[in-house]
Structure formats: C-alpha cells, structure tokens
Amino acid sequence: MKTVRVWFSKTGAAKYISHLDLTRCMSRALKLSKLPVWYTEGFNPHIYMTFAMPLSLGVEGLRECMDIRLTEDMELSAAARQLAEHLPKDISVLEITEPMLGFDATAFAEYELCFDSKDPQALADALDKILSLDSIIVMKHSKKEDKEFDIKPHFTLLYKQIEPGLLRVKLQASCSQEGSVNPSLLLEAVKQYKGLEPYAEITRVKLLTKDFSDMR
C-alpha cells in the first residue's frame, strides 16, 4: 500500500461547494476512475482521503492537496489522467506525486485578493494605514462564540498592484492545523477601521511550510 498526494485546483463555481461536498465529489470520482484505492476497514468502509487544509466557502484554490492510498503500484501520471476524467469542470487534477512532507508541516498560505473599487488608490492607502497599526482587532466568528481577535501577527503583505477599477493584493496568512486565519478578516478590518465595504475575490495560491517553502 502506497500513500500518494493528489494536487488539484478548485475554481469557478466549485468554490461555492462545501468541504463536505468536495469530499463526496472526490470519493465519487475515485470510484468511477477504477483506481486501486484503499478503503478503510470496519462497519462502514469508505475511501481513505485526507485533505491538507480545507478551503473556506467562496475561496478559490489553485494548488490544493489530499492524500489517498493505492493498493497497487501504477504510473502516477496515468492515475492523474484517470481521476481527472471523472471530476466536474471547475475541479482539476494538476498532478499526483509521492508526498515529501506531512500535512503538519503546513504553516502558512499565500493568497491573492482582487478588490473591485472605483478608487483603488484610496483603498490601497486605507490598507497601508490599517496594516501599519500595532494591532488590528476584529470580531472573529465561530460556532461556539464571537470574540475579538488581533489579525496583525497573522498577515504579511507581499505586494499590491493598482489597476483600473481593481486593487490586487498578495499576502501570506497563518494556515496550519493549530489554527488558520481567513483573509476575509482583512475585509472586516477595512470595514471596521475605514467604514469601507469592498468586495474581493479571494484565491489561495499555495500552501507553505514554516520556512515559507512550497508544501510538497
């Protein structure tokens, strides 16, 4: 039995399906692909799948990953093609590789936020002022409770680019099994501190390790 890592993208309409629905979609595709996947044992056997860091609803992912187990050796490029044939249009298999690191190595994620704005320069200035603060306190919502949360230590701005009617921002954010910070909290900070309510498309570009190298 061999553990392999499936790298995939989840874009377009697929960004609106939940992680549970993604799991069902992948399970169905694996069954239809006829790949020699390993099933868990017990009363209710199911295909073994484990995902690195589930995406938030409405966020696109350009390089997501999940691990499965194969019960037979096979060419991984062929396995990728077989699986890809049974996935919907907006979920695409990029490649299947042998994992180099465990999912617990994930520490950060790189995101791109595309803000629609009539005045992208003013929005960029507002972001600069917010990110220059010693702390950025917003309300973080959870199933258990809402509480104040300082997002300042969890975001690193990589660059911002102003285009006609658009502000493009790339940043790194905490993203690990110990806890992750949703970039939508930055939008909440803009609303809270500057009274603006910008709309942004959020894309997770890739997962990163503690030394900021690509997850492998």
Side-chain angles (χ1 to χ4, degrees):
M1 187 158 52
K2 180 179 184 179
T3 298
V4 298
R5 186 156 293 167
V6 180
W7 298 90
F8 65 95
S9 62
K10 180 173 178 272
T11 58
K15 70 180 180 180
Y16 296 112
I17 68 171
S18 68
H19 181 65
L20 179 59
D21 287 333
L22 173 64
T23 302
R24 290 168 175 160
C25 178
M26 285 294 188
S27 178
R28 178 178 180 275
L30 285 166
K31 289 176 182 177
L32 292 173
S33 72
K34 305 297 185 184
L35 290 175
V37 292
W38 179 74
Y39 282 72
T40 60
E41 300 173 352
F43 182 74
N44 184 29
H46 58 274
I47 295 174
Y48 170 83
M49 292 182 294
T50 180
F51 291 80
M53 296 299 303
L55 277 171
S56 298
L57 197 67
V59 176
E60 292 190 333
L62 299 187
R63 190 166 177 80
E64 302 301 303
C65 59
M66 70 171 186
D67 284 358
I68 60 173
R69 291 174 183 168
L70 299 179
T71 58
E72 301 172 14
D73 277 334
M74 68 176 300
E75 185 70 38
L76 296 185
S77 59
R81 289 193 298 272
Q82 282 181 235
L83 179 57
E85 290 176 0
H86 300 282
L87 286 168
K89 183 180 75 170
D90 293 328
I91 300 177
S92 301
V93 176
L94 305 175
E95 61 178 337
I96 298 180
T97 65
E98 294 187 23
M100 303 293 289
L101 299 167
F103 288 155
D104 58 353
T106 307
F108 304 98
E110 185 177 300
Y111 290 91
E112 185 173 85
L113 282 67
C114 293
F115 293 87
D116 284 335
S117 176
K118 294 180 180 178
D119 191 347
Q121 182 63 63
L123 181 56
D125 293 342
L127 274 176
D128 282 341
K129 290 178 181 177
I130 291 171
L131 292 171
S132 68
L133 297 172
D134 293 333
S135 62
I136 308 170
I137 307 298
V138 299
M139 291 301 295
K140 188 175 183 181
H141 308 289
S142 68
K143 293 180 180 179
K144 293 183 178 179
E145 61 178 344
D146 295 347
K147 60 181 180 180
E148 290 187 340
F149 181 70
D150 184 6
I151 65 173
K152 172 72 175 184
H154 300 280
F155 286 123
T156 301
L157 181 66
L158 300 178
Y159 80 79
K160 57 183 185 300
Q161 180 177 326
I162 296 171
E163 303 173 14
L166 181 71
L167 172 63
R168 194 182 303 274
V169 173
K170 185 166 284 190
L171 52 82
Q172 287 172 347
S174 299
C175 184
S176 72
Q177 294 179 350
E178 286 72 42
S180 297
V181 178
N182 193 320
S184 64
L185 292 177
L186 186 58
L187 277 68
E188 183 64 28
V190 173
K191 177 181 178 181
Q192 184 172 312
Y193 284 80
K194 295 298 179 180
L196 304 173
E197 296 189 46
Y199 171 77
E201 294 279 355
I202 303 176
T203 301
R204 188 158 75 187
V205 178
K206 57 185 176 180
L207 299 173
L208 303 167
T209 63
K210 294 178 178 65
D211 64 359
F212 301 104
S213 60
D214 290 358
M215 185 64 183
R216 296 177 293 158

